[in-house]
RNA sequence: CGGGGCGUAGCGCAGCCUGGUAGCGCACCUGCCUUGGGCGCAGGGGGUCGGGCGUUCAAAUCGCCCCGCCCCGACCA
């Protein structure tokens, strides 16, 4: 056999007759064979997007549910390596813009949360609280940080006295816990990893500049590194961070058309400064509260990455975040072929900086499937025919196309291919975003477009319409479970108009969508 | 927190209705053979059937209670 393997297995295929004839060669697929494969079973996107996502996460060896810990996940090596790549990209940019890394305690005195009225109200429902420690009931319980504004506010007040201490620009990489009712791997888990930046400034203008500068960094990494197009915008007042003056976010569109808030940056004003008495003496000698910002991206980005690029065969990773940019699969039959192929393979792999999949007892076919599922951008095939001809075959994960190139050009072609994949992934995603962005000019129109959209069924759109930034107006969207994702910073459409609820003048269209 | 589903070998499942002491496929181990998209053959190892209590001569199977996970809704990065 050897010629055939049908198209990738999918669940609808399981119901097909067990034996069939292709190219004159009969291939047998028993139900048990397909279902029982340790690596298999990816539900097609069109059938059930949410199930597809779960399958891709697990088959791609990115993560699995912790099972014994409710709502938590184990991030596996392949997934954590992506996180490390993202961490590097962000961390370099934070450092280059004057931020320093620090680490604050995981446990926060419960009373701290209560110091900012809106903050406590926003976070109370999702707090995990430690009441017993060392076998004794604590006098004051600790909450496990859901975010660190409060404890950082406390220390800021000790560290900041004068305008000379400002700006203070810190960042921490940490884990946090928010007791969520509904969890999905990477997108929303009880515990997750993130970075949280916290800065203090002497003027509102400077703080706002900082918040927007960080938003630019978030957008840059999302688009240039993750190949995930985003819309930068302000959150509405009802969607903003609990305790902020105004929140900003980057919003991405997943393949099912649902929005994903992929990063947020907050203008905290003086709210936490007042709550924690973070005062400084101005150049003029007067006392003022500091103007703060906070901002974060989390492991949720990995979920966004997966839902932006992956396909029914499994994970697709942009080269810039892929733990393995390529892998070489050697092909041989007899020992003498093996010797010749492996010798060339070793040189080539070293030249390309990639690994050889030299596992014995596995056919090349099973290796191709293996790396395909794990999203490796380029698979290099090298067999006796190639060695004889001085060639090598490069296969793109995203398009599935193969290119035969000479060994001498392999390195150049490999790098060119990686570069091309990175660009193509972005433009494909960008095109999808554009094609699924529509305008609406009445509430009925918005509802008609979004009413039947769900995470599983898909069909989501970004609906651009004129809506006043008023909780009462947004409440109307709840009737069909949509939200205002953001008020784009740049006017993405056609300027001012009248609010579809109140008829009042609003300066530009907002983005309404269903979201994760 | 409401609704639904599930829990039997590492994974996916059958067995349960009608009790009789556990089975299939994949994975794994050994050998031979194969290798350009999930090779084949032969042999082999692996399970306190989620937990507890009860009914019974006998419980994966029947009854009660508990636990956990997943999915769907209300809340959220």
């Amino acid at each position: 056999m050897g010629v055939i393997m049908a198209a990738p297995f999918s669940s609808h295929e399981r119901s097909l007759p067990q034996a069939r004839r292709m190219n004159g060669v009969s291939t047998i697929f028993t139900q048990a064979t397909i279902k029982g494969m340790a690596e298999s079973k990816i539900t097609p996107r069109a059938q059930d997007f949410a199930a597809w996502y779960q399958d891709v996460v697990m088959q791609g060896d990115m993560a699995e549910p912790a099972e014994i810990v409710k709502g938590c996940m184990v991030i596996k090596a392949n997934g954590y390596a992506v996180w490390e790549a993202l961490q590097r990209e962000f961390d370099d940019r934070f450092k280059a813009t004057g931020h320093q890394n620090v680490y604050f305690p995981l446990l926060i005195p419960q009373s701290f949360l209560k110091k900012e009225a809106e903050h406590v109200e926003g976070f109370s429902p999702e707090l995990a609280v430690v009441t017993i420690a060392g076998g004794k009931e604590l006098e004051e319980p600790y909450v496990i940080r859901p975010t660190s504004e409060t404890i950082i506010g406390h220390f800021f007040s000790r560290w900041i006295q004068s305008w000379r201490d400002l700006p203070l620009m810190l960042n921490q990489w940490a884990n946090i816990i928010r007791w969520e009712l509904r969890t999905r791997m990477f997108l929303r888990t009880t515990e997750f990893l993130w970075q949280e930046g916290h800065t203090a400034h002497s003027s509102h203008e400077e703080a706002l500049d900082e918040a927007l500068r960080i938003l630019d960094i978030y957008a840059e990494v999302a688009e240039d590194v993750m190949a995930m197009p985003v819309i930068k915008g302000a959150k509405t007042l009802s969607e903003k961070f609990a305790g902020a003056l105004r929140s900003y976010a980057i919003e991405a569109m997943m393949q099912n058309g649902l929005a994903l808030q992929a990063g947020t940056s907050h203008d905290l004003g003086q709210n936490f400064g007042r709550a924690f008495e973070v005062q400084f003496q101005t150049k003029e000698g007067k006392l003022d509260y500091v103007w703060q910002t906070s901002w974060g991206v989390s492991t949720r980005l990995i979920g966004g990455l997966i839902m932006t690029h992956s396909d029914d065969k499994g994970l697709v990773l942009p080269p810039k975040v892929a733990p393995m940019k390529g892998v070489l699969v050697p092909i041989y039959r007899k020992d003498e072929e093996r010797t010749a192929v492996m010798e060339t393979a070793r040189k080539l792999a070293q030249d390309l900086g990639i690994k050889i999949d030299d596992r014995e007892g596995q056919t090349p076919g099973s290796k191709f499937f293996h790396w395909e599922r794990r999203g490796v951008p380029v698979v290099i095939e090298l067999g006796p025919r190639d060695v004889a001809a001085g060639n090598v075959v490069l296969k793109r994960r995203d398009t599935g196309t193969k290119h035969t190139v000479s060994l001498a050009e392999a390195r150049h072609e490999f790098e060119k291919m990686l570069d091309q994949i990175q660009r193509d992934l972005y433009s494909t995603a960008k095109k999808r975003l554009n094609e699924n962005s529509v305008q609406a000019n009445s509430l009925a129109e918005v509802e008609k477009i979004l009413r039947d959209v769900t995470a599983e069924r898909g069909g989501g759109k970004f609906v651009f319409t004129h809506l006043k930034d008023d909780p009462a107006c947004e409440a109307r969207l709840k009737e069909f479970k949509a939200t205002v994702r953001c008020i784009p910073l740049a006017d993405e459409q056609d300027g001012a108009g009248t609010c579809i609820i109140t008829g009042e003048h609003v300066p530009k269209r907002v983005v309404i969508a269903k979201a994760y």
Side-chain angles (χ1 to χ4, degrees):
Chain A
M1 146 144 170
V3 189
I4 325 290
M5 231 34 256
F9 303 123
S10 57
S11 23
H12 83 272
E13 204 165 356
R14 286 173 206 150
S15 59
L16 293 178
Q18 294 188 353
R20 53 196 158 165
R21 191 156 284 273
M22 299 174 67
N23 296 354
V25 180
S26 112
T27 51
I28 309 288
F29 298 86
T30 63
Q31 284 210 339
T33 303
I34 294 163
K35 288 173 75 177
M37 289 278 193
E39 297 180 329
S40 72
K41 204 191 66 165
I42 293 175
T43 309
R45 282 164 291 188
Q47 184 184 316
D48 182 340
F49 192 86
W52 165 80
Y53 174 74
Q54 283 234 146
D55 290 346
V56 170
V57 168
M58 290 204 269
Q59 294 297 320
D61 213 18
M62 298 289 275
E64 63 183 57
E67 200 175 38
I68 46 165
V69 188
K70 191 177 174 62
C72 291
M73 67 191 290
V74 177
I75 303 176
K76 301 189 76 179
N78 204 35
Y80 201 82
V82 172
W83 180 235
E84 288 175 316
L86 291 173
Q87 280 184 305
R88 269 193 300 279
E89 298 285 349
F90 285 114
D91 207 60
D92 288 350
R93 287 167 173 81
F94 297 155
K95 301 253 173 75
T97 47
H99 302 85
Q100 291 181 296
N101 282 338
V102 292
Y103 188 79
F104 288 87
L106 169 72
L107 301 176
I108 300 176
Q110 192 169 42
S111 59
F112 279 27
L113 267 288
K114 296 177 178 163
K115 290 195 179 186
E116 212 287 331
E118 196 178 296
H119 192 67
V120 65
E121 196 192 328
F123 280 105
S124 297
E126 22 184 322
L127 295 179
V129 183
V130 179
T131 59
I132 297 172
K136 283 193 221 160
E137 184 113 356
L138 294 169
E139 270 186 45
E140 183 188 351
Y142 291 115
V143 302
I144 301 176
R145 66 176 161 226
T147 180
S148 302
E149 276 75 8
T150 58
I151 195 164
I152 288 176
H154 171 83
F155 284 97
F156 273 14
S157 75
R158 296 173 49 166
W159 296 341
I160 296 168
Q161 275 89 43
S162 131
W163 63 273
R164 292 177 195 278
D165 298 322
L166 301 173
L168 182 56
M169 303 201 290
L170 304 179
N171 175 63
Q172 80 168 349
W173 291 94
N175 59 335
I176 62 181
I177 284 194
R178 295 181 185 177
W179 213 259
E180 301 289 354
L181 299 175
R182 175 120 153 69
T183 58
R184 302 176 196 257
M185 284 191 285
F186 288 116
L187 300 175
R188 176 170 295 103
T189 46
T190 299
E191 180 185 7
F192 60 94
L193 305 181
W194 77 346
Q195 61 67 215
E196 46 178 325
H198 296 270
T199 67
H201 306 265
S202 54
S203 73
H204 185 213
E205 188 190 8
E206 192 183 306
L208 185 56
D209 281 350
E210 163 76 2
L212 294 175
R213 177 171 55 166
I214 295 297
L215 195 69
D216 286 340
I217 290 176
Y218 287 170
E220 181 186 310
V221 173
E223 301 201 324
D224 296 351
V225 177
M226 300 172 65
M228 182 172 78
V230 294
I231 295 177
K232 287 188 283 189
K235 300 303 277 189
T236 57
L237 294 174
S238 62
E239 291 274 327
K240 73 178 173 64
F241 175 74
L245 231 49
R246 180 64 83 173
S247 291
Y248 300 89
I250 51 171
E251 295 283 332
M253 179 190 279
M254 304 296 99
Q255 288 185 59
N256 59 356
L258 260 68
L260 184 77
Q261 179 173 305
T264 48
S265 183
H266 314 294
D267 171 6
L268 300 177
Q270 294 177 305
N271 292 347
F272 287 89
R274 270 192 291 273
F276 288 88
E277 297 185 359
V278 191
Q279 286 183 303
F280 71 102
Q281 202 164 19
T282 65
K283 282 181 187 172
E284 295 76 37
K286 289 188 271 185
L287 275 184
D288 197 4
Y289 293 111
V290 295
W291 298 84
Q292 287 176 253
T293 76
S294 68
W295 26 276
V297 292
S298 72
T299 37
R300 164 178 264 201
L301 283 173
I302 297 171
L305 188 72
I306 294 167
M307 288 195 294
T308 299
H309 303 302
S310 297
D311 60 26
D312 288 349
K313 295 177 194 160
L315 202 59
V316 175
L317 293 173
K320 286 187 185 176
V321 298
M324 297 170 74
K325 317 255 177 268
V327 64
L328 195 156
V329 175
I331 297 150
Y332 44 77
R333 236 164 304 202
K334 308 165 202 132
D335 274 353
E336 58 267 31
E337 280 180 352
R338 182 178 191 282
T339 309
V341 167
M342 286 307 287
E343 193 191 327
T344 308
R346 269 190 284 272
K347 280 187 216 145
L348 182 59
Q350 190 173 22
D351 189 33
L352 302 186
I354 62 172
K355 288 189 174 154
I356 304 175
D357 184 354
D358 58 359
R359 290 173 297 164
E360 293 292 342
Q362 294 256 25
T363 62
S366 73
K367 291 177 182 178
F368 295 147
F369 277 101
H370 179 75
W371 298 114
E372 182 169 74
R373 259 191 317 273
R374 295 168 66 102
V376 176
V378 176
V379 171
I380 289 96
E381 306 180 15
L382 185 73
R385 296 204 300 264
D386 303 307
V387 174
N391 285 337
V392 63
V393 178
L394 309 185
K395 178 164 190 207
R396 283 176 64 154
R397 170 62 183 88
D398 60 333
T399 58
T401 52
K402 289 186 184 186
H403 296 266
T404 303
V405 304
S406 75
L407 281 167
E409 292 174 321
R411 181 172 178 167
H412 174 69
E413 292 295 326
F414 176 58
E415 276 160 17
K416 206 170 89 182
M417 184 175 273
L418 290 175
D419 194 52
Q420 195 60 47
I421 292 169
Q422 185 79 32
R423 287 168 204 280
D424 289 354
L425 287 177
Y426 178 80
S427 56
T428 300
K430 181 75 175 174
K431 188 161 167 255
R432 183 167 54 237
L433 173 60
N434 290 340
E435 285 172 354
N436 290 296
S437 292
V438 298
Q439 286 192 358
N441 296 306
S442 71
L443 184 63
E445 253 184 277
V446 177
E447 174 167 7
K448 184 162 178 263
I449 296 163
L450 294 177
R451 190 179 45 217
D452 298 326
V453 172
T454 67
E456 297 70 39
R457 281 200 297 273
K461 306 275 183 212
F462 279 12
V463 183
F464 287 79
T465 193
H466 291 101
L467 191 81
K468 190 182 166 195
D469 182 4
D470 179 341
C473 293
E474 270 182 274
R476 300 293 303 278
L477 307 176
K478 281 206 158 187
E479 292 163 19
F480 47 94
K481 291 158 192 156
T483 48
V484 174
R485 299 318 303 162
C486 70
I487 306 162
L489 292 185
D491 190 342
E492 304 253 332
Q493 304 279 321
D494 53 1
T498 55
C499 172
I500 57 171
I501 308 290
T502 67
E504 290 171 72
H505 178 273
V506 289
K508 59 191 166 193
R509 289 177 186 264
V510 304
V511 180
I512 293 174
K514 288 201 174 166
Y516 277 101

